[in-house]
Amino acid sequence: MQKYNVNQNGFYGEFGGAYIPEILYDNVENLKHTYRKVLEDPQFQKEYYDLLRDYVGRPSPLYLAKRLSEKYGCKIYLKREDLNHTGAHKINNTIGQILLAQRMGKTRIIAETGAGQHGVATATVCALMNMECIVYMGATDVERQKLNAEKMKMLGAKVVPVTSGNMTLKDATNEAIRDWCSHPSDTYYIIGSTVGPHPYPDMVARLQSVISEEIRKQLLEKEGRENPDYLIACVGGGSNAAGTIYHFLDEPSVNIILAEAAGKGIDSGESAATIHLGKLGIIHGSRTLLMQSEDGQIEEPYSISAGLDYPGIGPMHAHLAQSGRSEVLAVTDDEAIDQAFELTKLEGIIPAIESAHALGVLGKKKFRSEDVVVICLSGRGDKDMETYVNEQKKRK
Ligand SMILES: *Cc1c(COP(=O)(O)O)cnc(C)c1O
């Protein structure tokens, strides 16, 4: 899989690498030399897959959405990551990384979070493994996402509100990196998406690749073939998308369509459409596309969905888009909201607002009746009820 996968130096084409402060060099080198060995170790795999089965509830179902299929004139399957423990795909990754942290002898876990989903998934596995957990969260986000902040505290994590910058995800990430620099020996940093310095993007993609591993088996059972015609996922940093496409990257017959958040429109100045609007730069340790001003200042992104509201994009996805392996569509707030209501009405499933962006692709493409389309339903909509209620009021 060399063509689309990370190379020896941690690059996907011209994207990726590890641009880190000197003090973290040993840590990141150590991680780089350890992660593959651990992830491929049978003992690790047994513990990881046992927990995925008994604790997370995997395999997640691949559900043939009949009424949705009828509406769009093709065969649509939903990969139900929304049914995982903690309500999204993020737990697949945090389980893997905490097992790795244990094996590396680390005792203190740090993480950053925006909407709080990764923070909750991290606090959850720290409770499970009895590890100290510190989660950095922008003060604005602590306010906006009270329930998740409270969940983390109940799970035993220390939530540190970050008051620098815009007090959102980007600032929380800076603070987490600062913490890591001051405690390099005992601390493990659990990154929540396919972002950050090498080897994180590759490690997170591998830990999420259980999604495509299952899709292959489930499609073979249901359709008599492993490959779908289309795979669709939303991209924030890119982890649910990476997991969904991982085992299909070298299958040219599988079309990959990813949805990024257009916010109020890609030309509105209020968007998080990084692949459409981003330029080459370095963010959080990796060389990738990012939204920046003329003089290279990172621009504050906007999306109705907190999980897609990130000014960068995982280097793997920058490369897949640039090389033409993936097609990236920008889906607006309004389109995503429409899709969330539609899925709820047609299938009785309230999706996360992030996942509703993936559903937004359905209205933008023409499918043939025999096409098999798999959409990653990355999370459930409980956390977004306030948004949905407000939008419903606005529309009346
Ligand atoms: C965090 C999140 C995302 C975005 O993160 P990726 O790393 O791009 O997958 C998407 N959907 C849900 C439900 C999330 O919680």
Side-chain angles (χ1 to χ4, degrees):
M1 295 224 267
Q2 272 320 318
K3 200 157 135 211
Y4 299 113
N5 251 315
V6 78
N7 70 17
Q8 284 290 325
N9 304 319
F11 280 86
Y12 302 83
E14 60 175 309
F15 306 106
Y19 299 84
I20 45 164
E22 191 65 34
I23 188 152
L24 292 179
Y25 182 79
D26 285 344
N27 269 44
V28 172
E29 276 296 297
N30 189 14
L31 193 59
K32 195 170 100 185
H33 293 301
T34 312
Y35 83 110
R36 290 280 301 269
K37 261 183 252 161
V38 170
L39 262 56
E40 284 157 22
D41 173 52
Q43 209 48 40
F44 170 91
Q45 293 208 345
K46 174 159 181 7
E47 207 175 333
Y48 176 62
Y49 281 104
D50 281 354
L51 282 169
L52 288 184
R53 186 189 62 225
D54 299 333
Y55 188 72
V56 175
R58 304 201 72 91
S60 64
L62 186 70
Y63 165 67
L64 174 60
K66 288 215 185 69
R67 295 186 65 204
L68 195 67
S69 298
E70 236 161 65
K71 158 127 200 207
Y72 291 99
C74 57
K75 232 171 171 180
I76 301 174
Y77 285 94
L78 301 177
K79 182 60 173 160
R80 299 290 309 273
E81 295 301 302
D82 60 316
L83 296 177
N84 293 340
H85 179 44
T86 70
H89 63 291
K90 292 215 167 65
I91 190 100
N92 304 329
N93 169 49
T94 57
I95 293 247
Q97 287 200 52
I98 200 142
L99 292 177
L100 173 63
Q102 280 181 328
R103 280 159 174 76
M104 293 178 78
K106 304 290 181 176
T107 53
R108 189 172 170 270
I109 299 292
I110 58 169
E112 85 298 328
T113 196
Q117 294 300 103
H118 173 58
V120 169
T122 303
T124 298
V125 297
C126 287
L128 181 69
M129 300 297 175
N130 192 24
M131 295 265 252
E132 183 185 356
C133 180
I134 298 113
V135 179
Y136 290 93
M137 190 171 186
T140 310
D141 290 334
V142 173
E143 223 18 71
R144 283 194 292 198
Q145 310 285 339
K146 264 212 172 74
L147 193 61
N148 275 341
E150 290 307 323
K151 277 188 195 170
M152 288 179 247
K153 288 184 209 162
M154 185 165 170
L155 287 158
K158 182 173 163 208
V159 179
V160 182
V162 174
T163 52
S164 56
N166 285 49
M167 307 191 216
T168 58
L169 177 60
K170 168 171 68 66
D171 315 294
T173 306
N174 290 337
E175 213 51 50
I177 293 173
R178 216 161 286 153
D179 178 312
W180 202 21
C181 290
S182 351
H183 308 88
S185 60
D186 64 344
T187 297
Y188 184 95
Y189 180 15
I190 299 190
I191 293 185
S193 189
T194 43
V195 300
H198 177 67
Y200 280 101
D202 182 52
M203 174 164 61
V204 176
R206 284 168 189 269
L207 292 172
Q208 291 291 358
S209 73
V210 63
I211 299 174
S212 52
E213 194 181 306
E214 288 174 6
I215 292 174
R216 287 195 87 119
K217 283 191 204 139
Q218 290 167 322
L219 272 185
L220 185 62
E221 224 168 75
K222 289 170 196 290
E223 290 291 327
R225 56 170 160 128
E226 292 183 331
N227 290 346
D229 298 293
Y230 290 89
L231 284 170
I232 299 175
C234 65
V235 267
S239 70
N240 87 89
T244 301
I245 66 181
Y246 195 84
H247 288 97
F248 299 103
L249 282 170
D250 290 326
E251 304 282 359
S253 71
V254 180
N255 295 290
I256 296 170
I257 308 181
L258 304 178
E260 60 177 6
K264 296 183 176 161
I266 48 176
D267 300 320
S268 68
E270 290 182 82
S271 119
T274 316
I275 292 177
H276 282 86
L277 300 173
K279 289 181 297 241
L280 197 59
I282 290 170
I283 183 170
H284 301 144
S286 142
R287 185 173 197 251
T288 187
L289 297 173
L290 64 120
M291 293 176 45
Q292 50 186 302
S293 63
E294 287 292 315
D295 50 2
Q297 292 297 319
I298 293 171
E299 280 180 344
E300 201 60 31
Y302 163 80
S303 163
I304 194 167
S305 142
L308 303 182
D309 198 350
Y310 182 67
I313 175 76
M316 172 190 189
H317 291 293
H319 178 57
L320 291 174
Q322 195 192 54
S323 63
R325 180 63 187 95
S326 71
E327 180 183 358
V328 181
L329 303 180
V331 174
T332 65
D333 289 357
D334 284 342
E335 289 166 338
I337 293 284
D338 286 343
Q339 291 294 333
F341 282 113
E342 180 177 280
L343 185 73
T344 305
K345 276 219 186 82
L346 291 179
E347 299 289 345
I349 299 170
I350 303 178
I353 185 71
E354 291 83 7
S355 321
H357 284 73
L359 294 162
V361 168
L362 290 173
K364 295 176 183 285
K365 291 297 273 191
K366 275 267 163 282
F367 300 99
R368 298 166 308 165
S369 60
E370 65 272 24
D371 282 339
V372 170
V373 178
V374 175
I375 303 176
C376 183
L377 205 67
S378 54
R380 66 177 84 128
D382 307 31
K383 66 184 180 59
D384 301 308
M385 281 315 296
E386 210 177 303
T387 306
Y388 291 151
V389 170
N390 288 339
E391 289 296 320
Q392 205 154 28
K393 271 190 208 141
K394 264 195 238 164
R395 284 161 190 225
K396 277 204 178 126

